[in-house]
């Protein structure tokens, strides 16, 4: 209940050097419940949308936020509505809005300098950069992955991870210390083999890995992301679609795993025959944009076995699942894999993008995986404080406690409103429930908003929960109350 405890927050604010505005913190505590004053988007949001429309297509804008007044789990909009936010900027807010510990980070002048002097990290990293990587990012590295490449966003993390996989694959074919041939050097310049080899990356139907060209070739969640854009001839396998509740459908779901894995193996063989061999497989631990489709631990263990058997790299995309919301830092830790995955990409809650990998996925030559910024030291300072708070407040445990309450409540609602809801699923607070139709889903999300909840959809049927890690038991109760109220209004 830290957010509700005014004296504590006042104490924090007094301790801040150079911060005399204690009133700011005193007034910025979470409200007891959501406050809805206008329709959403309200009049001020609509006016701003018009202004934005002069410059760009504002069709995706739901509301304009007031990030000065947003606090904790509550997103404040420009019309003064305070929405309990279980979407959290598409799953990217770890500690809620305006967390006092994060506000504090840039009150320190050394940190401020690190923020404003953004280096080209590949060529002029700051003197503290290696130590920062070791003491912050590597502290949460997935077991077995001892190397790290930092990047900006999720798409560019995947994009560069894919390149690392292709470079690894060719290096294993060519031999460790063999130089590139003249023909390779010349042909790559005109996008031709052997320099630009015919290789592929296997992905899954329903996957989302980003919108840049390479990442988009492995994204298959909505046509609107892809249409008109040329792409690669790369294999796409089925991803399991389970029946819920899981414990009542074990046999059927195990057969579904088997079907999808057989398809993966068939595609690998197919593309080998076609001389476009599969160098790697990219997969989300829970397909997020595609509808919160889960794969069982066994599915992932078998998938890894297929990779090992065929000398193919396994990339687990933890851009959305990483950072603690499933109750573990990395969702794939739930799978009990025999070995670590080869590459794990991250972004969102981690503040900057990047990928953990092992030594073999590090090119020998410089400048092969590179760009101007390659991450952002300012974001790493925020991450440091986020990880401190996660540890001090035992937030991964909190995620499991709040998540269990929310999940149990959703299952109860599902039983009560079985004509509207089904298939509650997920881990920690990374949860989802399906609606009976796409129309019902969209209607329910709108009703939830009218009742003070900012929720998000995914796939055609799902409402997904992606609250901050600071989402507590009482927040879960509010969500369930508002959910019930909205369902009654349907
Ligand atoms: O519509 C979009 O572009 C969206 S909506 C949600 C996302 C993107 N998520 C981003 C994402 C992701 O969920 C996974 C599993 N992998 C990669 C990405 C791409 O990250 P960004 O958006 O940072 O490039």
């Amino acid at each position: 209940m830290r957010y509700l405890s005014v004296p504590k927050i006042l104490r924090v604010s007094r301790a801040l050097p150079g911060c005399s505005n204690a009133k700011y913190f005193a007034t910025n505590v979470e409200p007891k419940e959501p406050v809805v004053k206008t329709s959403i988007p309200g009049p001020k949001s609509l006016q701003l949308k018009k202004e934005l429309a002069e410059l760009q297509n504002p069709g995706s804008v739901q509301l304009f936020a007031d990030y000065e007044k947003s606090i904790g789990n509550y997103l404040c909009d420009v019309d003064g509505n305070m929405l309990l936010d279980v979407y959290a900027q598409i799953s990217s807010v770890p500690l809620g809005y305006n967390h006092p510990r994060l506000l504090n980070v840039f009150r320190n002048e050394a940190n401020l300098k690190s923020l404003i002097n953004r280096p080209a990290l590949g060529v002029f990293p700051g003197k503290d950069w290696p130590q920062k990587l070791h003491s912050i990012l590597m502290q949460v590295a997935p077991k077995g992955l001892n190397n790290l490449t930092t990047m900006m966003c999720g798409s560019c993390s995947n994009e560069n991870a894919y390149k690392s996989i292709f470079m690894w694959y060719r290096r294993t074919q060519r031999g460790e210390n063999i130089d590139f041939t003249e023909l390779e050097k010349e042909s790559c310049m005109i996008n031709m083999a052997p320099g630009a080899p015919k290789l592929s990356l296997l992905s899954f139907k329903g996957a989302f890995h980003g919108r840049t060209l390479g990442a988009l070739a492995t994204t298959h969640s909505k046509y609107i992301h892809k249409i008109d854009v040329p792409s690669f001839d790369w294999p796409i396998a089925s991803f399991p679609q389970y029946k819920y509740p899981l414990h009542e459908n074990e046999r059927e779901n195990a057969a579904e795993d088997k079907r999808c894995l057989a398809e993966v193996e068939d595609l690998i063989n197919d593309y080998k025959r076609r001389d476009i061999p599969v160098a790697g497989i990219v997969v989300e631990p829970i397909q997020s944009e595609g509808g919160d489709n889960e794969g069982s631990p066994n599915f992932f263990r078998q998938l890894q076995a297929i990779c090992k058997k065929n000398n193919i790299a396994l990339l687990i995309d933890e851009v959305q699942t990483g950072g603690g919301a499933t109750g573990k830092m990395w969702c794939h830790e739930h799978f009990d894999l025999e070995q670590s995955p080869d590459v794990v990409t991250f972004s969102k809650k981690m503040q900057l993008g990047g990928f953990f990998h092992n030594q073999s996925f590090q090119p020998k030559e410089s400048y092969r995986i590179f760009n101007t910024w390659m991450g952002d030291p300012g974001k790493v300072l925020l991450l440091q404080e986020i990880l401190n708070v996660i540890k001090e407040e035992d937030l991964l445990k909190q995620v499991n406690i709040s998540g269990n309450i929310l999940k149990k409540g959703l299952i109860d609602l599902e039983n009560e409103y079985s004509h509207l809801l089904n298939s509650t699923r997920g881990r920690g607070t990374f949860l989802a429930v399906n609606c009976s139709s796409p129309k019902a889903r969209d209607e329910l999300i709108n009703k939830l908003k009218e009742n003070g909840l900012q929720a998000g959809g995914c796939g055609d049927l799902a409402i997904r929960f992606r609250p901050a890690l600071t989402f507590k038991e009482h927040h879960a109760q509010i969500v369930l109350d508002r959910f019930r109220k909205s369902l009654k209004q349907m």
Side-chain angles (χ1 to χ4, degrees):
M1 295 266 182
R2 275 200 180 181
Y3 277 113
L4 296 174
S5 140
V6 177
K8 186 126 203 170
I9 289 174
L10 273 170
R11 237 178 296 137
V12 171
S13 67
R14 280 210 200 95
L16 307 179
C19 172
S20 57
N21 194 359
K23 194 164 155 266
Y24 172 81
F25 291 105
T27 53
N28 274 270
V29 290
E30 282 192 353
K32 281 210 178 64
E33 57 179 11
V35 179
V36 180
K37 298 178 175 168
T38 70
S39 55
I40 302 169
K44 288 184 182 155
S45 268
L46 289 172
Q47 177 54 35
L48 286 166
K49 219 167 156 173
K50 263 190 212 153
E51 288 173 30
L52 190 63
E54 290 164 19
L55 302 171
Q56 47 182 246
N57 183 333
S60 58
V61 173
Q62 296 191 26
L63 54 76
F64 282 82
D66 186 334
Y67 289 114
E68 274 181 57
K69 292 189 183 141
S70 297
I71 183 75
N73 288 272
Y74 283 83
L75 175 68
C76 182
D77 79 359
V78 73
D79 290 283
N81 301 298
M82 280 295 237
L83 304 175
L84 178 54
D85 190 358
V86 291
Y87 193 36
Q89 311 292 329
I90 327 184
S91 194
S92 68
V93 181
L95 301 182
Y97 299 104
N98 289 315
H99 194 287
R101 292 278 293 271
L102 298 187
L103 287 172
N104 206 12
V105 169
F106 294 114
R107 293 211 169 88
N108 167 331
E109 186 155 321
N111 287 353
L112 192 60
K113 285 180 176 163
S114 177
L115 178 70
I116 64 172
N117 298 298
R118 189 175 184 179
L121 282 166
V123 271
F124 305 110
K127 61 186 178 196
D128 57 355
W129 188 237
Q131 182 263 328
K132 286 259 181 299
L133 293 183
H134 278 293
S135 69
I136 303 167
L137 277 148
M138 290 315 292
Q139 287 313 303
V140 290
K143 215 172 103 226
L145 299 185
N146 299 323
N147 292 72
L148 167 67
T149 302
T150 52
M151 281 287 156
M152 272 74 54
C153 66
S155 298
C156 83
S157 303
N158 280 330
E159 198 78 27
N160 284 285
Y162 295 179
K163 286 170 56 183
S164 298
I165 287 174
F166 291 131
M167 290 169 190
W168 159 81
Y169 191 85
R170 284 291 298 133
R171 193 161 54 248
T172 56
Q173 284 184 326
R174 195 183 279 122
E176 269 304 317
N177 294 312
I178 311 289
D179 273 342
F180 312 123
T181 65
E182 285 312 309
L183 182 59
E184 281 177 318
K185 291 183 201 167
E186 280 163 25
S187 57
C188 78
M189 296 304 288
I190 51 167
N191 304 348
M192 302 292 277
K198 286 233 180 288
L199 294 175
S200 63
L201 207 70
L202 184 143
S203 54
F204 289 90
K205 293 173 189 166
F208 187 100
H209 299 293
R211 289 175 178 262
T212 50
L213 277 171
L216 190 66
T218 56
T219 285
H220 318 285
S221 50
K222 291 200 178 101
Y223 77 86
I224 201 73
H225 300 153
K226 292 172 71 78
I227 201 153
D228 293 338
V229 182
S231 200
F232 293 110
D233 175 6
W234 288 355
I236 308 157
S238 294
F239 193 79
Q241 300 285 322
Y242 295 142
K243 289 222 162 67
Y244 290 86
L246 292 178
H247 64 273
E248 283 175 24
N249 295 281
E250 277 172 15
R251 210 160 41 106
E252 226 168 328
N253 292 337
E256 174 66 352
D257 280 350
K258 224 169 159 186
R259 179 185 76 87
C260 296
L261 291 163
E263 214 176 293
V264 169
E265 291 214 81
D266 285 349
L267 283 165
I268 291 170
N269 292 330
D270 229 32
Y271 273 69
K272 195 185 282 172
R273 272 195 298 275
R274 293 176 52 194
D275 276 333
I276 320 177
V278 176
I281 293 181
V282 57
V283 67
E284 294 157 272
I286 299 172
Q287 280 194 340
S288 306
E289 296 309 302
D292 271 31
N293 307 316
E294 301 178 300
S296 69
N298 187 53
F299 172 79
F300 283 98
R301 286 195 292 265
Q302 297 301 322
L303 189 66
Q304 182 170 57
I306 293 174
C307 287
K308 294 289 168 207
K309 187 173 108 191
N310 291 281
N311 286 319
I312 286 171
L314 178 63
L315 186 171
I316 299 205
D317 177 349
E318 294 255 19
V319 167
Q320 189 149 166
T321 46
T326 67
K328 292 189 188 283
M329 194 65 194
W330 306 107
C331 184
H332 76 263
E333 292 171 46
H334 290 283
F335 302 156
D336 203 13
L337 294 175
E338 206 156 283
Q339 301 172 45
S340 56
D342 299 294
V343 184
V344 173
T345 51
F346 61 84
S347 187
K348 293 205 191 248
K349 284 195 180 62
M350 299 293 285
Q351 308 297 298
L352 76 168
F355 50 106
F356 297 104
H357 51 100
N358 58 41
Q359 183 85 38
S360 358
F361 291 83
Q362 182 169 297
K364 284 202 168 43
E365 306 78 7
S366 322
Y367 283 110
R368 291 189 80 186
I369 299 293
F370 185 91
N371 83 343
T372 306
W373 282 331
M374 298 193 73
D376 184 345
K379 297 292 185 193
V380 173
L381 292 172
L382 288 175
L383 177 63
Q384 177 172 36
E385 199 62 350
I386 289 163
L387 296 176
N388 287 341
V389 173
I390 290 178
K391 215 182 210 166
E392 287 166 30
E393 299 189 3
D394 211 354
L395 289 181
L396 298 193
K397 193 170 158 204
Q398 179 65 54
V399 157
N400 283 321
I401 294 169
S402 309
N404 282 341
I405 292 174
L406 186 56
K407 191 171 187 183
K408 189 181 167 302
L410 286 170
I411 291 171
D412 290 344
L413 284 173
E414 186 188 315
N415 291 330
E416 215 175 310
Y417 292 87
S418 54
H419 60 296
L420 288 173
L421 294 181
N422 63 77
S423 305
T424 299
R425 58 199 179 277
R427 294 184 165 91
T429 53
F430 200 103
L431 301 172
V433 63
N434 277 4
C435 295
S436 50
S437 70
K439 192 168 154 277
R441 193 273 305 274
D442 293 347
E443 194 184 332
L444 184 52
I445 286 183
N446 282 334
K447 286 265 185 290
L448 292 173
K449 195 171 290 180
E450 286 167 15
N451 288 314
L453 290 188
Q454 175 65 55
C458 60
D460 296 327
L461 298 172
I463 293 183
R464 63 175 141 177
F465 296 88
R466 297 291 189 274
L469 307 175
T470 49
F471 182 85
K472 302 264 164 77
E473 294 94 314
H474 68 281
H475 297 115
Q477 291 302 348
I478 294 172
V479 170
L480 293 168
D481 289 348
R482 303 291 162 132
F483 222 85
R484 179 183 301 276
K485 188 172 169 194
S486 305
L487 286 163
K488 271 192 195 145
Q489 294 168 342
M490 294 274 289

